[in-house]
Amino acid sequence: MKPLAITITFVMAAGIAGCASTRNDSGPLTIARQGSFFVGGKNIQSDALSNLPAYAPAGTIAVNQVYVRYQEPANAKKTSVVFVHGCCLTGKTWESTPDGRMGWDELFVRKGFPTYVVDQASRGRSAADPSAIVAVKSGRQAADKLPQVFGAAQEGAWQIFRFGPKYPDVFPGMQFPLEAQAEFWKQMVPDWLNALPKPNPTVPALSELARKVDGAVLISHSQSGIYPFETARLNPAGIRASSRSSPAPALRQTAICLRSREFRYWCYGATTLISLLAGHHV
């Protein structure tokens, strides 16, 4: 496998959910394999699992695992694409858009790439540790021991996802289908980022996944923008390239990472990105 060589950065005006393909390729889709599994994680002992009589208060649980759902098309290319979502969202980000168009997951599968869509640690189908909440609820710990969990309001997310400078104003030329915004808001979930250990458990899990598929392009969005760099710094094995969309957390470290890894740099969108990956045979 060729070493890590490419970094691609591109910025979306309204987030991944509004930037996808039309359904010109909506014919039959042949899938050779599909399924799901977990990477990362560890077992811990907890004495604060439940305050309910029907469930044992103590025992062993798995934490910090990352859920992965994959699809492999027939006659798949050797390079796999790993999609990592951003703040307050799950892997649903990469599936069908709020207005029903083809998402990046399906688009890349139709172009022959195996895809792996993850839920970050403690998000979506990657379960969070309830111990601190249960302990506070039972009175065994003070309220200030509660995990730092947050949710993004629709009004605040309006700016975060660049719909406009403030709610409900819209940027000129903004392409997100506002008539479908209610479907987008339903995707948003509580975010446990600040309650997780450092480094974020998603990073070593992505490293494990890259080694497992042995040829991964890591595509991150917004909050997860720094994760491909952190994953490569941890262990570059299995990573062929990385791409970041709207990578706010990574901006300050981009130059350092580019110099240290000798990445080459492009600014392209999804369709061109597919051509780029195919043309450079990463």
Side-chain angles (χ1 to χ4, degrees), residues 29 72-80 106-115 274:
L29 177 62
E72 182 179 309
N75 302 314
K77 301 179 186 298
K78 292 183 179 180
T79 298
S80 298
E106 181 183 343
L107 176 62
F108 275 75
V109 170
R110 286 186 177 276
K111 297 301 182 180
F113 293 92
T115 62
I274 292 172

Side-chain angles (χ1 to χ4, degrees), residues 84-269:
V84 192
H85 62 83
C87 162
C88 315
L89 296 167
T90 68
K92 171 68 177 80
T93 298
W94 304 98
E95 299 172 3
S96 301
T97 65
D99 63 343
R101 290 174 295 129
M102 185 190 307
W104 283 36
D105 177 29
E106 181 183 343
L107 176 62
F108 275 75
V109 170
R110 286 186 177 276
K111 297 301 182 180
F113 293 92
T115 62
Y116 295 78
V117 178
V118 309
D119 286 350
Q120 287 193 41
S122 296
R123 203 92 58 84
R125 286 173 283 190
S126 304
D129 181 2
S131 301
I133 296 174
V134 173
V136 171
K137 177 69 175 178
S138 68
R140 287 184 286 163
Q141 289 193 9
D144 63 2
K145 299 300 183 182
L146 284 169
Q148 189 63 258
V149 179
F150 69 95
Q154 295 173 17
E155 294 82 358
W158 190 272
Q159 294 176 279
I160 293 173
F161 292 108
R162 301 177 180 87
F163 293 169
K166 63 179 181 178
Y167 180 85
D169 297 341
V170 177
F171 285 124
M174 199 277 292
Q175 297 182 34
F176 184 88
L178 288 178
E179 68 278 5
Q181 63 177 286
E183 285 299 305
F184 177 57
W185 302 136
K186 293 173 185 177
Q187 295 183 25
M188 303 190 75
V189 299
D191 195 312
W192 288 66
L193 175 70
N194 295 302
L196 294 173
K198 301 253 189 295
N200 189 302
T202 300
V203 171
L206 288 174
S207 178
E208 179 182 332
L209 178 58
R211 297 194 304 273
K212 181 181 180 71
V213 304
D214 193 26
V217 176
L218 304 181
I219 299 183
S220 59
H221 174 228
S222 190
Q223 180 190 75
S224 64
I226 192 64
Y227 292 176
F229 286 133
E230 292 181 334
T231 303
R233 184 168 54 198
L234 178 66
N235 187 348
I239 304 174
R240 289 188 174 176
S242 70
S243 168
R244 301 167 298 128
S245 67
S246 305
L251 290 179
R252 294 181 180 178
Q253 299 188 43
T254 298
I256 297 174
C257 292
L258 289 172
R259 286 196 297 269
S260 63
R261 293 288 176 186
E262 297 182 345
F263 290 154
R264 295 153 67 187
Y265 186 86
W266 290 275
C267 296
Y268 291 134

